[in-house]
Amino acid sequence: MVERYAYLLYKYQAFRAFMAGTRYGRRRQEEVLLEKIRRTAESDFGRQHGFNLIRSVADFRRQVPVTDYEYYRPWIDELKAGRLQAMLGPGTKLLMFALTSGTTGRSKFVPVTDHFFREYRRGWQLWGAKLYWDHKDLVHKKTLKLASDWRQFYTPGGTPCGAISGLVGHTAPFLARRRFVVPQCVTEVHAADAKHYIALRLALACRNVGLIGTANPSTLVEFGRLAEREAESLIRDIHDGTLRADLNVPWVLREKLSPYYRRKNRQRAQELEHIVEAEGRLNLAAAWPELSVIAVWTGGPVRIFLPLVDRYYGRHVVRDHGFSASEGHLTIPFQDFSSSGILEYCHHFFEFIPVEEKDSTQPTVLLSHELEEGREYYILLTTSSGFFRYDIRDIVRCTGFVNEVPLLEFLNKGAHFANFTGEKLSEHQVVEAVSTVFRCWQIPWQAFTLAPVMQDRPRYVLLLEPGPIGGKEQQLAAAVDAELARLNCEYANRRETHRLDPIEIRYVPVGTWDTLRRVRTSERGNFEEYKHPCLVNDLAFVNYVYSLTESIEPASAGLSDSHKGTLSAPPHLTFQPNETRVNFK
């Protein structure tokens, strides 16, 4: 126990140094930029963009345009083939590609270099040091940490591809691994249902779980449902020291997992049985009475899941994971119940574009110390993965400063994205999916909107004016759902893991889209330049559209009484127009 506190004190000193360095945040940002420029100056990308001419931020902006992933795709294809010289400097190692969804239907392969991974891991260590310092009881408790495999497949050049969270777990120090109740080898189970069952089965065998950590709170909600649905099987496996035979787990992996589950634990099984008898369900809050901290994202659209997390786990301290993505760990929240975090100024170089100027031909581009509290910005990243001035299309709000370094909170993906469980749907993908299905079904093109709603779990509804579908709404919805899963790997994962319900078709009266167009252009201007929203990320949108239809005569709507019934909101939810807010009653 003494060694754990000594190790914590050692790690906390690094966090204190990080905070002290905020006094020189502006200077450190320029140093970070020039370090990355020097490291990649001899790469093909660096030579083509004149990195040898860059001596300042102003030089950097002259030589490198604002970019997106498609700008890098040709160089990344070279990396995938094994030609590291395309984007990386001499001596830089490529450890893996982190997979994430792209905006055009093709997955993004984010290079994870040795330099990038060290910086990524340092950011998480700073976050963890502050968390454990604030909650020292965690030192003698276990952690349920959920991650995915970093070696799901390999590129033609032999580089592994998968989730960077898996590489973090794989390289975790011994003291950290001792705290985990789920061994790293569970990430090698790729069947989502089997992986979740195994993780929960192993975690439930331990009473002393104090911290649960995963990015998206929807995952924890799904675990809570799984515990209730599979209570009998989970308790039997713990009692008998077994693992269900019908799980989709290769024999080799079962053998690797067997040391972690084969010990019979009848006493623990009886404790869990008593919980079920007393409460009528396997309540995870009762199963883990020493649980004190839940670490998940709390900002942006995912906050709608937090009341459901409370339902399954009880009310506990919540520490936000920070603004993070495959492209980097970008902020470090250092207070409970706050999604705001300090910018990781010493690991990546940041630029910002005010939201209102995003579509300008010459937008203002600001450095981190130039932000203003209360304003919203798009964020541009320069990292050790080989990306420079990379627009990840995320919107953040400045909530304050620590000396020269801003505090930021994540708000949402840009206007053409929807992201409630990590699916990161783009409008491009939605248009492609729906148009493909319409074409295959020989349905005439019509305006539509895909919009989110929240019931027991979130789902998207495809809003259509009545047309020639001919009673095949369910089949059409399933076809669109399958096409979106084909185009977007993360949407497919969220559907497979039941974090999103399947798409549903709902009708709006004939004339609804014209009414919406008139209303929006009366508020915002040019009628001819109006763009119909094919994807929205606002939970209030569906009810807002239905409120507009009150001005449309029922006779012209073309709806049967049964169709009219689909227009009402779920009775347990209320929505406020133009706000992404859910009130649970």
Side-chain angles (χ1 to χ4, degrees):
M1 189 63 66
V2 173
E3 68 177 3
R4 295 183 186 179
Y5 282 111
Y7 183 71
L8 173 58
L9 179 60
Y10 167 72
K11 287 295 184 181
Y12 185 65
Q13 298 310 311
F15 180 80
R16 292 184 63 183
F18 172 80
M19 295 298 286
T22 60
R23 291 174 292 177
Y24 316 104
R26 179 177 181 178
R27 184 178 71 192
R28 182 56 184 150
Q29 273 285 277
E30 186 162 0
E31 291 171 353
V32 167
L33 171 63
L34 296 179
E35 286 171 6
K36 298 183 191 311
I37 292 295
R38 286 192 296 269
R39 191 182 299 136
T40 52
E42 297 304 314
S43 67
D44 295 349
F45 185 92
R47 290 177 184 273
Q48 182 168 326
H49 291 81
F51 278 14
N52 63 318
L53 303 175
I54 296 175
R55 302 290 185 273
S56 66
V57 172
D59 294 341
F60 175 60
R61 289 174 169 175
R62 279 193 294 269
Q63 296 298 125
V64 183
V66 174
T67 62
D68 60 14
Y69 185 81
E70 294 308 311
Y71 188 83
Y72 292 93
R73 197 177 285 276
W75 282 285
I76 288 177
D77 287 342
E78 292 285 303
L79 288 187
K80 288 162 65 177
R83 279 200 69 249
L84 303 190
Q85 177 70 19
M87 288 179 70
L88 308 180
T92 299
K93 297 178 182 178
L94 180 62
L95 304 180
M96 64 171 293
F97 286 103
L99 293 178
T100 187
S101 173
T103 61
T104 62
R106 301 168 66 187
S107 293
K108 294 191 293 185
F109 289 72
V110 177
V112 177
T113 67
D114 52 345
H115 301 289
F116 174 85
F117 185 64
R118 279 197 294 270
E119 293 162 352
Y120 185 88
R121 189 165 53 184
R122 282 181 199 140
W124 279 112
Q125 289 170 346
L126 291 168
W127 176 88
K130 185 62 167 70
L131 171 66
Y132 274 78
W133 188 260
D134 291 344
H135 301 280
K136 295 183 178 65
D137 61 300
L138 297 177
V139 168
H140 55 82
K141 295 179 181 179
K142 295 292 186 179
T143 297
L144 170 55
K145 180 178 180 295
L146 303 172
S148 298
D149 194 7
W150 67 286
R151 292 178 290 196
Q152 295 175 19
F153 61 90
Y154 290 80
T155 67
T159 304
C161 303
I164 191 171
S165 62
L167 182 58
V168 172
H170 179 75
T171 58
F174 175 71
L175 281 176
R177 291 200 304 272
R178 283 177 57 185
R179 291 197 301 269
F180 299 156
V181 293
V182 176
Q184 178 67 17
C185 57
V186 172
T187 65
E188 299 175 37
V189 180
H190 292 173
D193 289 346
K195 174 184 165 185
H196 287 179
Y197 181 91
I198 294 168
L200 189 56
R201 182 257 181 266
L202 297 178
L204 280 172
C206 176
R207 192 176 190 275
N208 187 33
V209 172
L211 168 65
I212 301 178
T214 189
N216 202 308
S218 66
T219 303
L220 298 188
V221 173
E222 212 48 55
F223 262 54
R225 294 184 176 126
L226 179 61
E228 294 181 354
R229 188 171 65 247
E230 302 291 345
E232 182 180 350
S233 180
L234 288 162
I235 294 172
R236 184 187 304 114
D237 275 344
I238 291 170
H239 182 277
D240 297 340
T242 56
L243 189 64
R244 270 174 49 180
D246 62 343
L247 295 177
N248 184 13
V249 181
W251 177 83
V252 173
L253 265 180
R254 280 187 179 268
E255 286 296 301
K256 190 182 291 190
L257 286 165
S258 64
Y260 301 99
Y261 68 74
R262 64 188 175 193
R263 186 177 71 86
K264 297 178 181 180
N265 194 340
R266 295 174 180 175
Q267 181 179 349
R268 179 59 174 163
Q270 288 175 354
E271 289 178 5
L272 298 175
E273 282 181 343
H274 291 156
I275 292 171
V276 175
E277 291 170 1
E279 305 195 24
R281 63 189 178 104
L282 182 47
N283 181 1
L284 295 181
W288 293 316
E290 296 191 44
L291 179 63
S292 55
V293 180
I294 293 175
V296 290
W297 286 328
T298 64
V302 299
R303 68 182 181 273
I304 64 175
F305 290 100
L306 296 178
L308 292 175
V309 172
D310 288 348
R311 179 209 185 273
Y312 289 108
Y313 299 87
R315 295 189 66 84
H316 296 289
V317 167
V318 178
R319 178 66 64 95
D320 194 283
H321 252 223
F323 176 24
S324 61
S326 298
E327 291 87 353
H329 190 247
L330 311 181
T331 67
I332 301 174
F334 52 90
Q335 294 178 322
D336 298 329
F337 302 108
S338 173
S339 62
S340 181
I342 187 167
L343 192 69
E344 283 201 28
Y345 66 95
C346 59
H347 295 141
H348 316 297
F349 178 73
F350 299 92
E351 296 171 278
F352 299 87
I353 297 176
V355 164
E356 61 272 16
E357 297 188 42
K358 186 60 167 63
D359 295 326
S360 169
T361 55
Q362 290 186 314
T364 302
V365 181
L366 304 170
L367 298 178
S368 59
H369 67 277
E370 298 175 314
L371 304 188
E372 296 179 32
E373 184 173 351
R375 294 192 64 184
E376 298 174 7
Y377 303 91
Y378 282 87
I379 190 167
L380 307 179
L381 282 179
T382 293
T383 73
S384 294
S385 65
F387 291 149
F388 297 87
R389 311 197 77 195
Y390 178 53
D391 180 6
I392 59 173
R393 296 190 172 94
D394 284 347
I395 299 174
V396 296
R397 178 188 292 127
C398 177
T399 60
F401 277 83
V402 177
N403 295 316
E404 292 186 348
V405 178
L407 297 168
L408 302 177
E409 63 176 348
F410 171 75
L411 296 183
N412 55 264
K413 285 286 182 184
H416 303 293
F417 284 81
N419 187 44
F420 287 85
T421 65
E423 68 275 18
K424 290 182 277 192
L425 277 182
S426 72
E427 191 169 43
H428 179 98
Q429 292 167 341
V430 170
V431 171
E432 184 172 346
V434 175
S435 60
T436 297
V437 172
F438 277 14
R439 187 168 56 251
C440 291
W441 284 49
Q442 298 182 339
I443 295 173
W445 176 259
Q446 62 167 299
F448 69 89
T449 297
L450 191 73
V453 296
M454 183 70 179
Q455 296 175 344
D456 188 36
R457 59 170 68 90
R459 73 174 346 132
Y460 288 89
V461 296
L462 184 62
L463 299 175
L464 300 171
E465 295 186 356
I469 296 178
K472 297 182 178 180
E473 289 83 0
Q474 288 186 347
Q475 297 96 313
L476 180 67
V480 174
D481 202 65
E483 187 65 15
L484 275 180
R486 185 187 70 80
L487 291 170
N488 183 318
C489 61
E490 287 168 327
Y491 180 86
N493 173 263
R494 272 52 178 187
R495 286 286 295 109
E496 181 185 4
T497 56
H498 311 295
R499 284 179 273 179
L500 279 174
D501 274 343
I503 287 173
E504 172 184 309
I505 288 179
R506 297 188 190 180
Y507 288 108
V508 296
V510 173
T512 295
W513 303 135
D514 285 341
T515 301
L516 179 65
R517 183 179 187 178
R518 287 196 301 271
V519 169
R520 289 202 162 176
T521 54
S522 68
E523 298 170 348
R524 304 178 189 179
N526 197 314
F527 189 83
E528 288 71 29
E529 294 180 5
Y530 168 79
K531 295 179 181 178
H532 178 80
C534 295
L535 173 68
V536 297
N537 61 8
D538 186 356
L539 282 166
F541 182 81
V542 172
N543 268 26
Y544 173 67
V545 166
Y546 292 150
S547 71
L548 295 178
T549 66
E550 294 174 1
S551 63
I552 301 175
E553 290 294 327
S556 67
L559 292 178
S560 67
D561 289 340
S562 62
H563 278 154
K564 292 177 185 177
T566 67
L567 300 183
S568 60
H572 63 297
L573 299 178
T574 61
F575 299 86
Q576 299 298 323
N578 300 321
E579 294 181 9
T580 308
R581 183 170 68 197
V582 184
N583 298 320
F584 288 80
K585 292 185 175 178

